[in-house]
C-alpha cells in the first residue's frame, strides 16, 4: 500500500510525514516545512499507535455507555445550565492540538449559539503573550516571516527557546544553513545551558526575566549608533520617542550580563541587517511576557527589519495547531478569523455569517480565571477537549479540585486514564492522530492536512463530530449539520474573506469553494490566500499594519527587577525535554522515547547542592505555598545559582510526586492572562528517603511510594522509586510495586552493596525484578529490562550484572538507533572526533539528528590529542 501524506501531531514546525497502516513513518521529502527531515518524536510515532490504554467507548460515572445516552446527557446538562443560570454558567477548555475544523465548531457553538465567550484554550499557557504583544504592536496577531528567513539570515537570536529539543527540525535547518554558510551566527538567550546553547556561537545566560532589559538596552544602542531606519519609522510607526525613553530608563545591569557580553550582542544584532529574533516560552510564560514580546518587536520596528527576506521577529508556535487555534478565534478574547469581540461590526459579520441566534458581546474567562470560576460554583458545566489541565495548569492540585467541584464535567479524550479524565463525570472517546482528517497551521502560517491512515477504533468519533452531535441536541441542528470536515473548512474560509474585508490579515477565502477531492489532495499552503488575487510571502515589509491608521506601535516597556537574594528561596524554571510530549499520554507509549530521560529531575547548581547537602542521585523536594514535588537532583553548573529547572512532563498517572505544576503559583501576566510558568519562588531540601528502589515488570506498575516514576519499556514497564517507611516485608513490597500478585519468589541479599533483590517467576518466565537499597540503586537498568519477560534464570537476573562480553551501552542518547552514551564515548575514545565519524562508527545521529547537540557535547568533553602530545 502507498503511504499516506500527513502532518506530525507534535510540535508547531508542522513536518510532513509519509505514514503507513503498519506504523512505519518517514519524513515527507516534498513537504516545505521539513523536506524529509524528522526528529526523534516524529520518527517514533509508529510506537504510539497501539490501542493499549485507549478510551474506546463513552463513559458516564465510570461505566461504559452508548453514544446516544452520553450525548443526550451532555446536551441536557449544558442546556439546563444555560437555561437556569445563563450562558456564562458553562465553559469549554480546549486545545491547540485540535484540528482547525474541531476548533472552529467548538467556538461557533460557544460564541454564536450558547452566546458566551467562556471558551479558552491551553494556548493561554503557551502563545497568549505573543498574541497580545502582536496585537499591541501590529493591530493583529500576525507572524510576519517564513522558515526560509532563518536560512537567509546572517544572525539568528533565539530568546527563551530550546529549539534543538522543542523545534528540532527547524534547528536542523538552521544548522544545515550554518554548515553551508559558517558566517551565520546563532545567539541563544536562556538563563540555562541547553542543547540549543551548545549549538550556538554565543550563549547569553540572561538573568530570569532579564529579556526586557536586554532588548531595551539594544534599542538604546540602536539609537546611539544611529542605526534607526528613519524612513520606515516616519512612514509606518508610532510611539518611537516614548519607547526610547522607557528603554533608556532601564538599567543594562538588570540583564545580569557583563558589559562585554552586552557589547557582543549589540555588535552582532546591530551589525547585520538580516537578523531574525526567534522567541518562545522563555518570553511568553512570564508575568512580563507581553512586555518582553514588545521589547523585541520594538527593536525590529525601529530598524525596519521586518517582512523582508532574512529578517524579522519570529514567534515559534508550540502545538501542531497553536496557530490554527488563533485563526479560528480559539481564545476567550477573540472571534473567528482574527476578528475582535469588542468590535460591533466584527460581531455583526460573524453573527450574520453563522446566522446565529446570539453572539457573545464581551471576552470570556481566561484559563486561570476559568478554573477559579469552576471552583467557586459560577461554572455549572465544563467541557475539556484535547488537553490535560490537571497536569499542565499552574496550581494543578487546585485545578483538579475545581474540576471535581463543577456540577457536571465532561472530557473528550483519546486516552482512558489521564489526571484530568479521572476527575470528570463523562469521558467521550475521540479518534486520535492517524484516524482522523483535518487541517493544522504551523509556525510560518502554513496550512497542512492531517490525514487518516488508520480506521477509527471502537466507538471513537472525531472531535468536530462530537461537538456537532451535542450542538444538534441542544437545538441547533441546521447550523451544525456538517457531514465532513471539508464542509466546515469551506464555511471557515468564506468567513475569512469577509473578515479580510474589515481590514484583517487572515484571509483564506481562495479556498472557500474547495471541493471534496481538492481537500483530500490538499497540499501545504501558506496564508494569506485571498480569492482572485495573489497572496503575499511576508507581512509589513512596506508597513500596512492592522491598526486603523495602518501604523505599527512601538510600546514603551520597563523591566523592574528585584535583585535581592534570599536564603533558600529558588526561582523555579520549567520546560521540556527532547523526547517527551507534554503530559506523556502519547509519547510515553514509546519505550524508545522514554529512555532518554526516564525520571523527573531538578537541575541545580553545584554550590546550591552543597549548601543543601545534596549528592548526585539524591532526591530533591520542592515546596511552595501551593504544593510539593519530589524529583531526582541533577547537579550541573549549566544552571544559575538560586534557580532550579524541572521538566513539565510527569503526571500523577506515571509518577507519585513528579507533577511539578502542583507547586506553581497561578500568577499571570496582567495583559495576556498567561501564567508565569517559568517563574515562581520555591524552597528546596534534600528528600530523606529511607530506601531507594528500581523495578521492572511485565505488568503496568502503579505510581506508588513516596517517590516513583514509571516508564514503558520493550518488555513492560520499569520504575524508579524511593520510600520513607521500611516495609515489613520486601517480598510483599516487591509484589505491590511490580503489580504481580502471583508467581514464585526468589530473593537475594547482596550485603556487599546493601541491595535487596527480589525476582518473580511465572513458570519459567521471569515476570518481575525488584531492587532496593539504602542509597540510590546501582544496577544495570537496561540489562534488567532485557531479562524480564524472558526465560531468564532467577539468580543470574538477581545478580543484575551485564553478561560477560556484553558491554553496557549506557543511557540512551540516539533514540532512532538505540545508541547509548557508553557506546558513543567508546567510539570517541577510539578516535571519532566529528559528528560524521561518530555517526559512521555507531549510527548515532544519522537519522533524525535530534541528538546531534548531545553528541557534540560528548565529543567536546573528550580532549583531542594532537601529534605533539
Ligand atoms: N520535545 C518537545 N518539544 C515540544 C513540546 C514538548 O512537549 N516536547 N511542546 C511544544 C510546545 S506546546 C511548545 S509551547 C514549545 C515550547 O518550546 P520552548 O519554549 O523552546 O521550550 P521550553 O523548554 O518550555 O522553554 C524554553 C527555554 O526558556 C528558558 N527560560 C526560562 N525562563 C527564561 C527567561 O526569563 N528568559 C529567557 N530568555 N529564557 C528563559 C528555559 O530555560 C528553557 O530552556 O515546544 C513544543 N515542542
Ligand atoms: N510547568 C509548565 N507547565 C506548562 C508548560 C511549561 O512550560 N511549564 N507549558 C504549557 C504549554 S506551552 C502547553 S501547550 C501546555 C500543554 O499541556 P496539555 O495540553 O495539557 O498537554 P497534553 O499532554 O498535550 O494534553 C493533550 C491531551 O489531549 C489528548 N489528545 C490527544 N489527541 C487528541 C485528540 O485528537 N482529541 C482529543 N479530544 N484529545 C486528544 C491527550 O491524550 C492528552 O491528554 O502545557 C502548559 N503547561
Ligand atoms: S520537529 Fe519533530 S515533533 Fe516537530 S513537527 Fe517535526 S517531526 Fe514532529
Ligand atoms: Mo505550548
Amino acid at each position: 500500500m502507498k503511504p499516506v501524506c500527513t502532518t506530525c501531531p507534535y510540535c508547531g514546525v508542522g513536518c510532513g510525514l509519509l505514514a503507513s497502516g503498519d506504523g512505519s513513518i518517514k519524513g515527507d521529502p516534498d513537504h516545505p516545512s521539513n523536506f524529509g527531515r524528522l526528529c526523534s518524536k516524529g520518527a517514533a510515532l509508529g510506537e504510539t499507535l497501539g490501542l493499549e490504554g485507549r478510551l474506546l467507548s463513552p463513559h458516564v460515572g465510570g461505566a461504559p455507555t452508548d453514544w446516544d445516552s452520553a450525548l443526550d446527557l451532555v446536551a441536557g446538562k449544558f442546556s439546563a445550565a444555560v437555561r437556569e443560570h445563563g450562558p456564562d454558567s458553562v465553559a469549554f477548555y480546549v486545545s491547540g492540538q485540535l484540528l482547525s475544523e474541531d476548533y472552529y465548531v467548538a467556538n461557533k457553538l460557544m460564541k454564536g449559539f450558547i452566546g458566551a465567550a467562556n471558551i479558552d484554550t491551553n494556548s493561554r499557557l503557551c502563545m497568549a503573550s505573543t498574541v497580545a504583544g502582536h496585537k499591541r504592536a501590529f493591530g493583529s496577531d500576525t507572524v510576519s516571516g517564513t522558515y526560509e528567513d532563518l536560512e537567509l539570515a546572517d544572525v539568528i537570536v533565539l530568546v527563551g527557546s530550546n529549539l534543538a529539543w522543542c523545534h528540532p527540525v527547524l534547528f536542523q535547518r538552521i544548522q544545515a544553513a550554518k554548515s553551508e554558510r559558517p558566517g551565520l551566527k546563532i545567539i541563544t538567550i536562556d538563563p540555562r545551558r541547553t542543547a540549543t546553547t551548545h549549538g550556538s556561537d554565543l550563549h547569553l545566560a540572561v538573568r530570569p526575566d532579564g529579556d526586557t532589559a536586554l532588548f531595551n538596552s539594544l534599542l538604546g544602542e540602536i539609537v546611539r549608533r544611529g542605526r534607526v531606519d528613519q524612513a520606515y519609522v516616519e512612514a509606518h510607526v508610532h510611539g518611537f520617542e516614548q519607547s526610547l525613553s522607557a528603554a533608556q530608563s532601564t538599567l543594562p545591569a538588570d540583564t545580569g550580563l557583563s558589559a562585554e557580553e552586552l557589547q557582543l550582542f549589540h555588535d552582532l544584532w546591530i551589525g547585520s541587517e538580516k537578523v531574525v529574533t526567534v522567541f518562545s516560552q522563555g518570553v511568553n510564560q512570564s508575568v512580563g511576557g507581553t512586555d518582553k514580546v514588545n521589547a523585541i518587536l520594538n527593536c525590529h520596528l525601529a530598524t525596519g527589519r521586518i517582512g523582508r527576506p532574512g529578517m524579522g521577529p519570529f514567534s515559534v508556535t508550540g502545538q501542531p495547531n497553536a496557530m490554527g487555534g488563533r485563526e479560528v478565534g480559539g481564545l476567550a478574547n477573540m472571534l473567528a478569523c482574527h476578528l475582535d469581540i469588542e468590535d460591533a461590526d466584527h460581531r455583526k459579520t460573524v453573527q450574520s455569517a453563522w446566522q446565529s441566534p446570539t453572539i457573545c458581546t464581551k471576552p470570556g474567562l481566561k484559563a486561570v480565571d476559568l478554573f477559579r470560576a469552576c471552583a467557586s460554583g459560577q461554572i455549572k458545566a465544563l467541557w475539556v477537549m484535547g488537553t490535560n489541565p490537571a497536569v499542565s495548569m499552574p496550581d494543578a492540585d487546585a485545578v483538579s479540585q475545581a474540576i471535581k467541584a463543577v456540577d457536571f464535567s465532561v472530557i473528550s479524550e483519546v486516552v482512558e486514564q489521564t489526571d484530568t479524565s479521572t476527575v470528570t463525570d463523562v469521558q467521550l472517546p475521540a479518534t486520535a492522530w492517524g484516524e482522523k482528517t483535518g487541517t493544522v497551521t504551523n509556525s510560518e502560517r502554513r496550512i497542512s492536512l492531517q490525514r487518516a491512515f488508520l480506521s477509527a477504533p471502537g466507538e471513537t468519533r472525531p472531535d468536530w463530530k462530537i461537538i456537532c452531535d451535542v450542538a444538534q441536541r441542544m437545538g441547533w441542528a441546521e447550523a451544525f449539520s456538517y457531514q465532513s470536515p471539508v464542509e466546515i473548512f469551506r464555511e471557515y474560509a468564506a468567513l475569512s474573506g469577509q473578515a479580510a474585508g474589515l481590514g484583517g490579515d487572515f484571509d483564506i477565502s481562495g479556498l472557500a469553494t474547495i471541493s471534496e477531492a481538492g481537500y483530500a489532495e490538499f497540499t501545504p499552503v501558506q496564508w494569506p490566500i485571498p480569492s482572485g488575487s495573489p497572496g503575499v510571502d511576508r507581512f509589513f515589509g512596506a508597513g500596512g499594519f492592522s491598526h486603523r491608521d495602518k501604523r505599527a506601535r512601538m510600546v514603551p516597556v520597563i523591566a523592574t527587577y528585584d535583585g535581592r537574594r534570599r536564603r533558600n528561596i529558588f526561582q523555579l524554571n520549567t520546560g521540556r525535554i527532547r523526547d517527551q510530549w507534554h503530559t506523556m499520554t502519547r509519547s510515553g507509549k514509546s519505550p524508545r522515547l522514554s529512555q532518554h530521560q526516564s525520571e523527573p529531575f531538578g537541575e541545580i547548581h553545584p554550590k546550591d547542592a552543597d549548601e543543601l547537602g545534596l549528592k548526585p542521585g539524591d532526591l530533591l523536594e520542592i515546596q511552595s505555598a501551593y504544593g510539593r514535588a519530589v524529583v531526582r537532583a541533577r547537579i550541573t553548573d549549566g544552571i544559575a545559582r538560586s534557580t532550579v529547572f524541572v521538566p513539565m512532563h510527569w503526571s500523577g498517572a506515571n509518577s507519585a510526586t513528579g507533577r511539578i505544576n502542583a507547586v506553581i503559583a497561578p500568577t499571570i501576566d496582567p495583559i495576556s492572562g498567561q501564567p508565569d510558568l517559568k517563574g515562581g519562588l520555591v524552597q528546596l531540601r534534600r528528600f530523606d528517603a529511607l530506601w531507594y528502589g528500581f523495578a521492572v515488570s511485565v505488568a503496568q506498575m502503579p505510581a506508588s511510594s513516596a517517590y516513583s516514576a514509571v516508564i514503558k519499556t520493550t518488555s513492560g514497564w520499569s520504575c524508579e522509586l524511593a520510600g520513607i517507611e521500611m516495609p515489613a516485608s520486601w517480598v510483599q513490597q516487591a509484589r505491590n510495586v511490580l503489580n504481580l500478585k502471583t508467581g514464585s519468589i526468589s530473593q537475594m541479599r547482596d550485603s556487599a552493596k546493601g541491595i535487596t533483590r527480589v525476582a518473580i517467576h511465572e513458570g519459567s518466565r521471569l515476570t518481575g525484578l525488584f531492587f532496593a537499597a539504602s542509597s540510590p540503586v546501582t544496577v544495570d537498568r537496561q540489562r534488567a529490562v532485557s531479562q524480564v519477560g524472558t526465560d531468564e534464570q532467577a539468580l543470574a537476573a538477581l545478580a543484575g550484572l551485564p553478561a560477560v562480553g556484553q558491554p553496557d551501552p549506557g543511557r540512551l542518547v540516539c533514540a532512532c538507533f538505540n545508541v547509548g552514551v557508553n557506546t558513543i564515548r567508546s567510539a570517541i575514545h577510539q578516535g571519532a572526533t566529528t559528528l560524521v565519524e561518530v555517526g559512521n562508527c555507531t549510527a548515532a545521529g544519522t537519522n533524525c539528528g535530534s541528538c546531534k547537540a548531545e553528541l557534540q557535547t560528548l565529543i567536546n568533553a573528550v580532549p583531542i590529542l594532537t601529534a605533539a602530545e
Side-chain angles (χ1 to χ4, degrees):
M1 280 250 304
K2 215 172 140 239
V4 171
C5 289
T6 183
T7 314
C8 179
Y10 293 129
C11 86
V13 177
C15 295
L17 310 177
L18 299 175
S20 304
D22 65 1
S24 73
I25 307 282
K26 288 200 185 75
D28 178 353
D30 297 326
H31 196 288
S33 301
N34 55 319
F35 299 104
R37 293 181 175 89
L38 275 190
C39 77
S40 48
K41 291 180 298 302
L45 271 165
E47 288 177 33
T48 67
L49 300 173
L51 295 184
E52 191 176 59
R54 278 289 298 275
L55 177 68
L56 293 173
S57 59
H59 280 62
V60 173
T65 185
D66 58 276
W67 269 113
D68 278 338
S69 315
L71 292 168
D72 286 345
L73 179 71
V74 173
K77 290 284 189 183
F78 273 81
S79 296
V82 172
R83 202 169 48 241
E84 288 159 29
H85 305 280
D88 288 321
S89 71
V90 300
F92 296 168
Y93 182 63
V94 304
S95 167
Q97 291 166 71
L98 294 176
L99 305 175
S100 293
E101 292 77 0
D102 305 326
Y103 228 142
Y104 175 84
V105 289
N107 266 280
K108 181 176 176 181
L109 173 56
M110 180 56 86
K111 289 175 179 157
F113 289 78
I114 291 173
N118 287 341
I119 171 167
D120 212 36
T121 136
N122 60 4
S123 283
R124 183 69 59 197
L125 318 179
C126 183
M127 306 312 304
S129 297
T130 289
V131 174
H134 280 165
K135 291 193 76 166
R136 284 206 300 193
F138 308 148
S140 59
D141 174 26
T142 313
V143 173
S144 54
T146 70
Y147 291 164
E148 204 188 16
D149 291 330
L150 297 166
E151 288 153 341
L152 297 173
D154 293 325
V155 175
I156 297 174
V157 187
L158 303 168
V159 198
S161 156
N162 187 3
L163 207 76
W165 280 8
C166 297
H167 298 87
V169 165
L170 268 192
F171 194 69
Q172 290 173 34
R173 281 179 67 167
I174 293 175
Q175 295 292 347
K178 189 171 166 61
S179 58
E180 260 177 40
R181 210 161 39 86
L184 166 60
K185 293 279 178 268
I186 303 165
I187 307 172
T188 300
I189 299 168
D190 193 313
R192 193 170 73 95
R193 207 159 64 206
T194 66
T196 308
T197 63
H198 280 300
S200 306
D201 298 288
L202 177 63
H203 171 206
L204 297 175
V206 71
R207 73 156 180 81
D209 281 347
D211 309 273
T212 298
L214 179 59
F215 281 87
N216 272 352
S217 83
L218 176 63
L219 182 61
E221 197 61 17
I222 289 168
V223 176
R224 212 180 59 78
R225 296 191 193 180
R227 299 299 293 272
V228 173
D229 183 338
Q230 298 290 355
Y232 190 86
V233 171
E234 272 165 33
H236 306 301
V237 180
H238 264 324
F240 176 83
E241 291 301 334
Q242 299 88 314
S243 302
L244 178 63
S245 61
Q248 285 169 336
S249 73
T250 303
L251 297 175
D254 285 352
T255 61
L257 300 170
S258 67
E260 294 74 40
E261 285 173 312
L262 283 174
Q263 189 178 341
L264 219 57
F265 174 62
H266 294 155
D267 289 349
L268 279 169
W269 204 100
I270 299 170
S272 338
E273 194 182 26
K274 290 189 173 172
V275 179
V276 179
T277 309
V278 173
F279 53 99
S280 188
Q281 299 314 338
V283 168
N284 292 333
Q285 292 172 338
S286 156
V287 275
T290 308
D291 282 352
K292 288 192 194 186
V293 171
N294 287 107
I296 294 170
L297 301 184
N298 283 348
C299 294
H300 281 275
L301 289 170
T303 49
R305 295 179 184 177
I306 186 168
R308 286 184 285 142
M311 62 185 83
F314 204 135
S315 138
V316 280
T317 48
Q319 299 176 89
N321 202 27
M323 188 71 102
R326 287 144 71 174
E327 292 154 10
V328 301
L331 292 159
N333 50 333
M334 294 160 70
L335 274 183
C337 302
H338 285 187
L339 293 174
D340 291 324
I341 293 181
E342 281 97 342
D343 186 312
D345 288 340
H346 289 195
R347 290 198 301 269
K348 218 171 94 197
T349 303
V350 175
Q351 189 177 359
S352 76
W354 284 345
Q355 300 190 0
S356 69
T358 170
I359 187 105
C360 56
T361 52
K362 58 177 195 326
L365 296 166
K366 300 187 179 116
V368 168
D369 289 334
L370 189 151
F371 286 101
R372 281 197 182 121
C374 289
S376 73
Q378 181 198 326
I379 299 298
K380 309 289 182 199
L382 169 73
W383 189 353
V384 177
M385 305 175 201
T387 175
N388 194 358
V391 184
S392 55
M393 282 284 294
D395 198 7
D397 288 344
V399 167
S400 193
Q401 290 303 323
I403 298 170
K404 281 192 206 157
V406 177
D407 288 350
F408 181 73
S409 60
V410 42
I411 189 165
S412 306
E413 245 301 337
V414 299
V415 168
E416 195 163 23
Q417 297 232 322
T418 71
D419 289 13
T420 308
S421 74
T422 46
V423 293
T424 53
D425 301 314
V426 176
Q427 296 84 29
L428 303 175
T431 43
W433 179 79
E435 302 156 3
K436 61 178 187 178
T437 296
T439 54
V440 290
T441 311
N442 74 1
S443 295
E444 58 162 358
R445 291 175 277 107
R446 192 179 296 283
I447 306 175
S448 298
L449 196 64
Q450 278 188 14
R451 283 183 180 81
F453 59 94
L454 300 165
S455 51
E459 310 265 306
T460 62
R461 290 183 185 178
D463 286 290
W464 65 266
K465 177 83 175 106
I466 303 175
I467 298 158
C468 293
D469 287 342
V470 169
Q472 290 178 3
R473 281 171 171 77
M474 289 178 78
W476 301 302
E478 204 183 322
F480 292 88
S481 63
Y482 314 101
Q483 297 300 307
S484 66
V486 65
E487 294 177 11
I488 303 171
F489 186 82
R490 281 196 289 254
E491 177 182 312
Y492 167 48
L495 178 57
S496 77
Q498 294 184 41
L502 295 169
D505 58 336
F506 178 69
D507 187 352
I508 56 167
S509 56
L511 299 169
T513 55
I514 192 166
S515 66
E516 194 139 341
Y519 187 78
E521 283 158 19
F522 202 97
T523 48
V525 55
Q526 243 175 331
W527 65 259
I529 312 153
S531 78
S533 60
V536 291
D537 290 339
R538 296 174 178 82
F539 284 92
F540 311 141
F545 294 91
S546 300
H547 286 296
R548 281 194 198 281
D549 58 7
K550 299 290 170 208
R551 281 170 169 268
R553 304 285 185 273
M554 282 174 69
V555 180
V557 287
I558 299 173
T560 50
Y561 173 46
D562 173 5
R564 281 170 299 172
R565 266 190 67 160
R566 281 153 289 193
R567 207 178 145 67
N568 196 16
I569 297 288
F570 286 75
Q571 175 138 10
L572 174 63
N573 180 6
T574 63
R576 291 156 171 79
I577 60 174
R578 191 189 78 189
D579 286 357
Q580 291 296 349
W581 178 258
H582 295 160
T583 71
M584 293 194 200
T585 63
R586 291 177 297 157
S587 51
K589 288 173 99 174
S590 159
R592 254 199 297 175
L593 295 181
S594 300
Q595 279 187 58
H596 181 240
Q597 314 268 355
S598 53
E599 282 185 280
F601 58 85
E603 287 181 355
I604 178 169
H605 191 275
K607 289 205 173 107
D608 289 329
D610 268 357
E611 279 179 14
L612 294 169
L614 279 171
K615 295 185 304 300
D618 277 351
L619 293 170
L620 176 64
E621 182 168 352
I622 305 174
Q623 177 90 46
S624 74
Y626 297 87
R628 69 186 273 282
V630 179
V631 298
R632 188 75 64 184
R634 191 172 283 176
I635 302 167
T636 162
D637 63 1
I639 189 151
R641 291 213 58 187
S642 301
T643 69
V644 55
F645 174 86
V646 180
M648 63 166 291
H649 306 288
W650 275 266
S651 69
N654 55 30
S655 73
T657 43
R659 196 162 124 274
I660 192 62
N661 283 22
V663 179
I664 299 181
T667 315
I668 55 166
D669 173 331
I671 303 163
S672 65
Q674 177 153 357
D676 184 20
L677 293 164
K678 306 254 184 277
L681 300 177
V682 295
Q683 288 188 303
L684 303 183
R685 68 177 187 91
R686 182 175 176 278
F687 180 73
D688 292 318
L690 263 189
W691 59 272
Y692 296 82
F694 174 67
V696 191
S697 177
V698 294
Q700 178 151 17
M701 289 181 273
S704 58
S705 301
Y707 168 80
S708 66
V710 183
I711 60 165
K712 187 83 185 77
T713 67
T714 42
S715 57
W717 283 265
S718 76
C719 178
E720 297 287 344
L721 61 164
I724 45 171
E725 283 167 20
M726 270 305 174
S729 146
W730 281 117
V731 168
Q732 197 47 49
Q733 179 73 12
R735 280 204 187 280
N736 293 346
V737 166
L738 296 168
N739 199 11
L740 296 171
K741 300 287 168 270
T742 61
S744 57
I745 294 279
S746 317
Q747 193 182 0
M748 194 172 120
R749 172 97 194 131
D750 178 340
S751 28
K753 284 191 174 170
I755 302 183
T756 299
R757 299 158 184 255
V758 178
I760 302 188
H761 269 88
E762 202 71 66
S764 63
R765 183 168 172 248
L766 182 69
T767 50
L769 281 172
F770 174 88
F771 307 89
S774 56
S775 56
V777 174
T778 54
V779 296
D780 175 354
R781 266 72 175 156
Q782 290 207 342
R783 170 105 179 117
V785 166
S786 70
Q787 287 165 326
V788 163
T790 67
D791 285 350
E792 186 74 34
Q793 289 300 307
L795 283 179
L798 287 179
L801 295 168
V804 184
Q806 248 187 37
D808 168 16
R811 182 178 62 76
L812 187 80
V813 175
C814 168
C816 295
F817 292 116
N818 267 318
V819 191
V821 68
N822 295 345
T823 312
I824 293 160
R825 284 209 183 104
S826 109
I828 298 170
H829 280 292
Q830 283 163 27
T833 53
T834 63
L835 285 176
V836 175
E837 286 165 3
V838 169
N840 288 343
C841 298
T842 65
T846 56
N847 185 38
C848 81
S850 296
C851 61
K852 279 187 181 162
E854 207 168 338
L855 293 177
Q856 192 63 55
T857 313
L858 291 170
I859 294 171
N860 296 346
V862 177
I864 296 169
L865 300 178
T866 63
E869 288 168 291

